[in-house]
Amino acid sequence: MSIRIATFNIENLIARFDFTGYRNQLKSDRVLKLFDIKSEADYQRLEAARVVSSTDDTRQLSALAIADTNADILCLQEVDNMEALKAFEYGYLFRMIGSGYRQKYLVEGNDSRGIDVAVLMREKTRDGQPIELRDVTSHAALTYHDLGLYHPGLGERVRPDDRIFKRDCLELDLRVGGRPLTVYVVHFKSMTNGRDGMDGRTSTMPIRAAEAKAVRHIIENRFGSESASRHNFVICGDMNDYQERIDVIGDRRSGYDYVHRPDLPSALDVFSHDGFAENPMLRRDPLDRWTLYHSRGPEEQHLCQLDYIWLSKGLAQANPQALPEVIRNGQPFRTPFPPGQEVERYPRTGWDRPKASDHCPIAITLHLR
């Protein structure tokens, strides 16, 4: 009996307009900066038209990427609210795959922009086994003080009573064909601008490390610290960190070289350092593990894995041949692919946009014990 699980940062599945770009140029879309807009009312009309027209192409590509995961359980990040999720599922996913994801779960979390983690599930697996929800729990209210995770290295603006998760850790207790499976969905702190002479990834890593420790605490508190890794659980989501990356050297005209940089310090070492959980993506070739292309010009560009389905040690051992699939067909044309990895992009994919997302969905088929 098997189940197929996927995770995808769908990027800004938002059901509202943001007009702050009229007064804050940093939030204004680049296309509107090409025009001399005389009034805020004109700006709002143009911005609304731009968003509506571009969103349809984007969501068609997002739905194609999700359909290609062929998942029974789909973990999403950056979803505005349940109404947006329902509208996307009915208006786009339904047209791709039919009446599949009838079960939908989302709890409002801590993100200042209002984007949340969510789960879509089928009522039965592809094998016909029932997928039953026993319980759903949000851990968004946990603070550093609650778990004893506060320390000054988190940053001068962080206080002991602040909430640990920048979005949430959403826990779903499931039975699949009568067998237990617990799914944890997260979206860790992003790599924002650096401080104190450190780059953005380094300066924000303590926050993500605390989030990872909190997830591990939740799991060990439920199953017991000594026996937790033997239970069936997965940790899914955009973790905004990586333990390795591929430096991309060159440009489109002269060509690219790809240099693998392993064993980088990472907040995700909390999961892997003692075998608590396994990243099955490591079963793929080192140049073929990436889920995102990051670029700030030719001088700073790399491919890395930000999106994960971590398996408990027991689940990994029970599935030694399980290989994650990475869906890259929705990547924009600006993304350079290492040799042999090129794929046919979805129709109407652009150089930078539209695109399914900057993130690639990943999916894995697991046999439950």
Side-chain angles (χ1 to χ4, degrees):
M1 194 277 299
S2 63
I3 182 115
R4 189 162 173 86
I5 302 172
T7 187
F8 183 32
N9 183 333
I10 196 171
E11 284 191 336
N12 298 313
L13 182 58
I14 291 177
R16 53 200 153 90
F17 298 110
D18 180 3
F19 298 126
T20 56
Y22 180 74
R23 302 185 184 280
N24 183 349
Q25 288 294 302
L26 294 176
K27 293 188 176 182
S28 179
D29 188 80
R30 66 193 185 204
V31 71
L32 294 185
K33 291 180 180 179
L34 297 174
F35 298 90
D36 182 17
I37 302 172
K38 300 298 185 183
S39 70
E40 187 166 3
D42 286 345
Y43 178 88
Q44 291 184 1
R45 284 192 291 269
L46 290 167
E47 173 64 6
R50 181 195 69 80
V51 170
V52 169
S53 62
S54 65
T55 295
D56 184 56
D57 282 341
T58 297
R59 293 313 164 203
Q60 288 186 61
L61 298 176
S62 300
L64 279 169
I66 289 172
D68 279 349
T69 68
N70 200 29
D72 301 311
I73 299 174
L74 174 65
C75 304
L76 294 176
Q77 300 86 54
E78 296 200 14
V79 178
D80 199 354
N81 50 46
M82 182 58 78
E83 288 69 29
L85 185 61
K86 289 179 178 178
F88 172 72
E89 189 275 330
Y90 181 75
Y92 292 87
L93 273 184
F94 177 78
R95 293 176 180 271
M96 302 290 178
I97 60 175
S99 55
Y101 297 109
R102 293 183 177 272
Q103 303 186 70
K104 304 175 182 66
Y105 305 98
L106 180 151
V107 177
E108 297 292 332
N110 299 324
D111 188 272
S112 59
R113 291 194 294 147
I115 53 174
D116 300 303
V117 300
V119 176
L120 294 173
M121 297 196 311
R122 300 182 184 276
E123 294 180 320
K124 293 182 179 181
T125 68
R126 295 286 184 177
D127 296 335
Q129 298 297 321
I131 305 174
E132 305 170 81
L133 177 74
R134 295 295 184 90
D135 198 11
V136 58
T137 305
S138 167
H139 296 283
L142 282 175
T143 68
Y144 295 105
H145 174 76
D146 291 336
L147 301 186
L149 292 176
Y150 176 78
H151 60 86
L154 293 167
E156 60 183 18
R157 296 185 179 181
V158 179
R159 299 291 179 263
D161 290 331
D162 288 348
R163 295 182 174 187
I164 297 173
F165 294 111
K166 300 304 115 180
R167 284 88 181 183
D168 196 1
C169 174
L170 192 64
E171 177 181 356
L172 280 78
D173 180 22
L174 307 174
R175 294 294 183 274
V176 181
R179 298 176 185 179
L181 174 67
T182 307
V183 178
Y184 298 90
V185 190
V186 299
H187 185 185
F188 286 173
K189 168 71 176 174
S190 59
M191 291 181 270
T192 53
N193 295 330
R195 59 177 173 83
D196 300 329
M198 295 183 288
D199 61 70
R201 177 172 177 263
T202 303
S203 64
T204 54
M205 194 178 298
I207 301 289
R208 289 188 296 278
E211 290 180 297
K213 290 175 183 177
V215 173
R216 181 162 178 167
H217 172 92
I218 290 165
I219 295 171
E220 291 181 336
N221 187 59
R222 175 175 176 182
F223 297 118
S225 58
E226 298 299 322
S227 59
S229 63
R230 297 197 296 269
H231 288 259
N232 289 343
F233 69 78
V234 293
I235 310 167
C236 303
D238 174 4
M239 302 189 184
N240 272 312
D241 213 334
Y242 49 83
Q243 295 176 307
E244 60 181 1
R245 77 184 192 204
I246 303 164
D247 286 343
V248 181
I249 302 169
D251 56 42
R252 189 168 68 95
R253 294 188 64 184
S254 62
Y256 297 102
D257 290 323
Y258 300 89
V259 179
H260 180 229
R261 293 189 59 197
D263 303 322
L264 301 177
S266 172
L268 304 180
D269 296 345
V270 171
F271 297 146
S272 63
H273 80 277
D274 59 353
F276 171 77
E278 180 180 321
N279 174 18
M281 194 76 88
L282 298 182
R283 299 171 182 177
R284 297 173 65 99
D285 184 85
L287 294 186
D288 197 20
R289 299 168 183 165
W290 59 275
T291 66
L292 180 133
Y293 169 58
H294 167 83
S295 174
R296 290 184 178 174
E299 296 78 21
E300 183 183 341
Q301 50 183 342
H302 62 258
L303 300 163
C304 61
Q305 182 188 4
L306 294 189
D307 308 275
Y308 295 81
I309 301 176
W310 288 88
L311 308 181
S312 68
K313 182 177 181 179
L315 201 53
Q317 291 176 343
N319 292 269
Q321 304 303 317
L323 194 66
E325 181 180 358
V326 186
I327 312 298
R328 300 193 178 114
N329 309 71
Q331 281 286 291
F333 278 94
R334 65 180 175 83
T335 302
F337 282 56
Q341 294 182 23
E342 296 82 0
V343 297
E344 182 179 358
R345 296 328 202 273
Y346 297 132
R348 300 184 71 176
T349 300
W351 175 255
D352 181 51
R353 62 186 185 189
K355 59 195 172 190
S357 170
D358 276 332
H359 296 253
C360 302
I362 61 172
I364 191 169
T365 300
L366 300 171
H367 295 279
L368 299 182
R369 301 164 298 162

